[in-house]
Amino acid sequence: MLSVIDSILVPDRRTDTGIPRVAMVQGRIPEHQLATVYEPMVNLILSGSKTMTVGERSFHYDPATYFVMSVDLPAVGSVHPDSDGRPYLAVSLTLDPHVVANLIADLRSPAGGTLRESGFSVAPVTDDLVDAWLRMLRLMQRPDEIAALAPAYEREILFRVLQGPLGWMLRDIALPETALSRIGVAIRWIRENFSSPLRVDDLAGMAALSVSAFHRHFKAVTALSPIQYQKRVRLLHARSMLLAGEGNATSIAFHIGYESANQFSREYARLFGRPPLKDIANLTQALGRNAA
């Protein structure tokens, strides 16, 4: 199966599989592509390993585990080949709350009404979960069967996750009255309005929580304060704009909501290790080497 997948995928980049919400990545992924805002997903590694860092929390996972992210999170990842030199290979399923909610309704599953430790974590993989994924991935060879079978395989993958230790994450994103779902409303607002001034009182109101409860739950879910979350989203967006040549550091700083170009440069260097111009020059050089 892995040899067939290898022949289909484009090395060193994300590949859409043709299956709704399912994507794969293989090989050495450029540094800047792994520092991004990740969408809610279930991620399974087939070979190699990955480290994911959100705020000050880091998880390392490999084919013995799977990863669930239940909200949009600015994170930094790094991927590694396995001990035999086989390149990193992973598959992800972007979570659709409507699909999850319909599955839960059919199962008559009890609501996960409490907020747990975070919006992302890893758990040991099971044979049943791997089997469901393999059936899904075989559809890459049988595109005419995708429309008929992919929805059933997606439900099975979600069902296996719901049965496991991270099942509460799926329940909470699908049920509108849970604290995690309420925090998700605020997170979406920040993502869509990252250049606007941030008022925590307003965000707490959107989440129907007190300011103190909102702060506590937001930090538990994202490993970041609301201000830190906004800064990460701004800086990641700025890096993408700089790489695309959509302006200079000063103009982009003001475009994403900074009032001081110097402050933007300091915070950019704190996150990425270099000031904007040096960072982009380094990335451009690295991309040129990879292309050669």
Side-chain angles (χ1 to χ4, degrees):
M1 182 67 187
L2 291 183
S3 61
V4 173
I5 292 172
D6 288 345
S7 68
I8 295 173
L9 297 182
V10 179
D12 302 337
R13 69 178 63 182
R14 183 180 186 275
T15 302
D16 288 324
T17 62
I19 305 168
R21 291 178 289 283
V22 176
M24 299 191 75
V25 291
Q26 181 187 54
R28 298 172 300 169
I29 314 303
E31 171 193 343
H32 70 281
Q33 292 183 14
L34 292 168
T36 187
V37 180
Y38 289 80
E39 294 183 316
M41 63 174 175
V42 177
N43 185 237
L44 178 70
I45 293 177
L46 302 176
S47 67
S49 62
K50 183 173 185 177
T51 300
M52 182 77 79
T53 300
V54 184
E56 297 180 355
R57 299 181 194 163
S58 293
F59 289 98
H60 185 79
Y61 57 113
D62 55 28
T65 55
Y66 65 98
F67 178 87
V68 177
M69 180 176 283
S70 58
V71 293
D72 296 355
L73 288 176
V76 176
S78 60
V79 300
H80 319 281
D82 65 21
S83 58
D84 296 328
R86 184 173 180 83
Y88 172 80
L89 176 63
V91 60
S92 65
L93 171 66
T94 300
L95 294 174
D96 183 332
H98 299 293
V99 174
V100 179
N102 288 337
L103 174 59
I104 290 173
D106 290 344
L107 297 174
R108 304 183 185 276
S109 179
T114 58
L115 185 70
R116 311 294 176 92
E117 54 187 308
S118 75
F120 60 103
S121 193
V122 297
V125 75
T126 64
D127 290 342
D128 287 337
L129 179 58
V130 172
D131 286 345
W133 266 117
L134 290 177
R135 284 193 291 279
M136 178 72 90
L137 294 178
R138 288 192 185 102
L139 294 178
M140 295 171 64
Q141 302 171 262
R142 306 166 182 171
D144 292 344
E145 299 179 6
I146 289 175
L149 296 178
Y153 297 158
E154 179 179 13
R155 281 171 62 90
E156 183 177 358
I157 290 168
L158 297 174
F159 173 74
R160 299 303 177 191
V161 175
L162 278 166
Q163 287 187 313
L166 304 182
W168 66 270
M169 287 191 186
L170 299 194
R171 290 192 295 271
D172 279 12
I173 66 171
L175 300 169
E177 294 307 313
T178 62
L180 187 140
S181 182
R182 293 178 183 182
I183 293 298
V185 172
I187 286 172
R188 286 190 291 275
W189 187 93
I190 297 173
R191 283 208 64 186
E192 294 169 3
N193 302 276
F194 62 83
S195 62
S196 301
L198 187 151
R199 289 179 52 85
V200 175
D201 289 3
D202 293 341
L203 292 175
M206 292 178 196
L209 294 167
S210 69
V211 172
S212 61
F214 175 76
H215 262 292
R216 184 173 67 255
H217 291 331
F218 194 99
K219 186 68 177 286
V221 169
T222 67
L224 298 163
S225 71
I227 295 295
Q228 289 171 327
Y229 186 102
Q230 182 194 49
K231 285 182 180 179
R232 294 288 173 94
V233 173
R234 283 180 170 182
L235 293 170
L236 289 166
H237 190 77
R239 199 186 206 192
S240 296
M241 292 182 69
L242 287 165
L243 271 172
E246 297 179 9
N248 58 39
T250 299
S251 65
I252 288 174
F254 292 125
H255 175 79
I256 63 172
Y258 277 86
E259 297 180 358
S260 164
N262 288 335
Q263 182 186 4
F264 165 71
S265 184
R266 287 194 302 272
E267 294 184 354
Y268 187 105
R270 191 176 300 126
L271 180 60
F272 297 119
R274 304 178 187 89
L277 294 182
K278 289 185 178 180
D279 179 54
I280 298 306
N282 183 73
L283 288 175
T284 302
Q285 185 179 26
L287 289 171
R289 286 196 301 268
N290 291 337

